[in-house]
Amino acid sequence: MNGNIQFIPAGRTSNVKRGNTLLQVQTEYAQRPSPRITTTILDNGRVLHKVERALDKVISSVDEQRRAETTLVKQHAEVLAIIQNDAHPVAPQTAVESVEPSKETIIETEPLPVYDQIKAIPGVLSVIQMENDGTFTSPELTIEFQKQFGFVFKNLRELMDLFERVPGVGITRRTGVYEIERDRLYFVSSGTSCYFVVVRRVNVTTQYEQELKAVVVLDPFRR
């Protein structure tokens, strides 16, 4: 029993430029009314947008706190990377329309993880994930993949450098998609992770580069 001990992950606060506007980005954990990790984007104290990730239960151990801190840092970094990838300034009228100070902030529903969104694209055979430091973390990294696409390992650093690093928490990169082999192999950056995506065309309509960009090139101000 943990009694009245509360396990609270450390929050994150950053300032980031979007066009000519300096925004404040805050990510924190809250227990009530339900456990969640929330990233708030503010302009001079005025809330522009919130991104919320619901948690299954209240954090109740040191191990759970550490895992939640990892999730919190990644969410914070993802939002920073998204903002930094968009050079357009925030229009004041947009901010007023998206949030009214006297009312409860509109909160986005939590999207599927990037990995799951990519897997859902028709014709995607496998998704190999790795961290931005080049460490592979995906169980789909098979010996067969390494034999079939051995050249990508020889040029891994060059591929990763296609999406340059940006300032922020941890290692973040520009988001984007690079077509290594058309209708066969793509390299994707979500900002906080990278992915090799192996595809085999199953129809004549799916445009893989566009579909992948729709997953990772996002705008948190878009409704």
Side-chain angles (χ1 to χ4, degrees):
M1 296 292 291
N2 292 318
N4 294 322
I5 297 176
Q6 292 187 335
F7 298 90
I8 308 297
R12 295 290 186 275
T13 301
S14 302
N15 293 324
V16 60
K17 289 291 291 291
R18 185 174 190 264
N20 296 322
T21 304
L22 182 64
L23 302 176
Q24 299 79 47
V25 180
Q26 299 175 352
T27 304
E28 57 189 354
Y29 163 78
Q31 294 181 348
R32 298 181 179 84
S34 59
R36 65 198 183 281
I37 294 173
T38 303
T39 299
T40 307
I41 304 168
L42 308 100
D43 179 9
N44 288 324
R46 178 174 54 180
V47 175
L48 299 179
H49 198 88
K50 285 191 176 183
V51 177
E52 184 169 279
R53 181 190 302 271
L55 302 180
D56 293 335
K57 62 185 181 69
V58 172
I59 298 171
S60 58
S61 70
V62 173
D63 286 342
E64 289 178 2
Q65 179 178 327
R66 289 172 180 165
R67 289 195 294 270
E69 284 177 347
T70 299
T71 299
L72 186 151
V73 168
K74 293 192 74 170
Q75 178 171 311
H76 189 80
E78 285 170 356
V79 173
L80 289 178
I82 291 168
I83 295 172
Q84 289 165 331
N85 282 334
D86 190 341
H88 299 294
V90 178
Q93 63 269 25
T94 301
V96 172
E97 289 173 359
S98 63
V99 175
E100 293 187 19
S102 61
K103 296 181 180 179
E104 184 176 352
T105 301
I106 298 172
I107 297 179
E108 296 260 336
T109 56
E110 175 65 18
L112 286 173
V114 169
Y115 179 92
D116 293 333
Q117 292 186 60
I118 293 175
K119 286 285 287 187
I121 298 173
V124 169
L125 297 179
S126 59
V127 182
I128 292 85
Q129 182 176 358
M130 65 179 182
E131 300 297 335
N132 275 341
D133 62 1
T135 303
F136 284 89
T137 58
S138 176
E140 294 195 42
L141 179 59
T142 62
I143 294 177
E144 181 181 353
F145 175 85
Q146 296 180 62
K147 288 181 178 179
Q148 189 174 10
F149 301 108
F151 63 90
V152 302
F153 295 91
K154 296 179 182 179
N155 302 287
L156 184 59
R157 183 53 55 190
E158 289 79 2
L159 279 172
M160 296 185 71
D161 286 345
L162 290 172
F163 306 109
E164 62 183 5
R165 291 180 60 171
V166 296
V169 178
I171 303 176
T172 59
R173 296 182 182 275
R174 300 289 182 185
T175 59
V177 177
Y178 177 71
E179 183 183 81
I180 299 176
E181 292 187 24
R182 184 175 180 80
D183 287 354
R184 188 174 182 228
L185 182 64
Y186 295 83
F187 186 63
V188 178
S189 169
S190 68
T192 57
S193 296
C194 293
Y195 306 82
F196 286 105
V197 182
V198 183
V199 307
R200 182 174 61 198
R201 181 165 291 283
V202 294
N203 58 47
V204 297
T205 59
T206 301
Q207 301 296 317
Y208 289 108
E209 187 170 354
Q210 285 74 17
E211 292 281 353
L212 292 167
K213 283 182 178 178
V215 173
V216 298
V217 183
L218 304 175
D219 181 353
F221 295 89
R222 184 181 62 196
R223 294 266 177 217

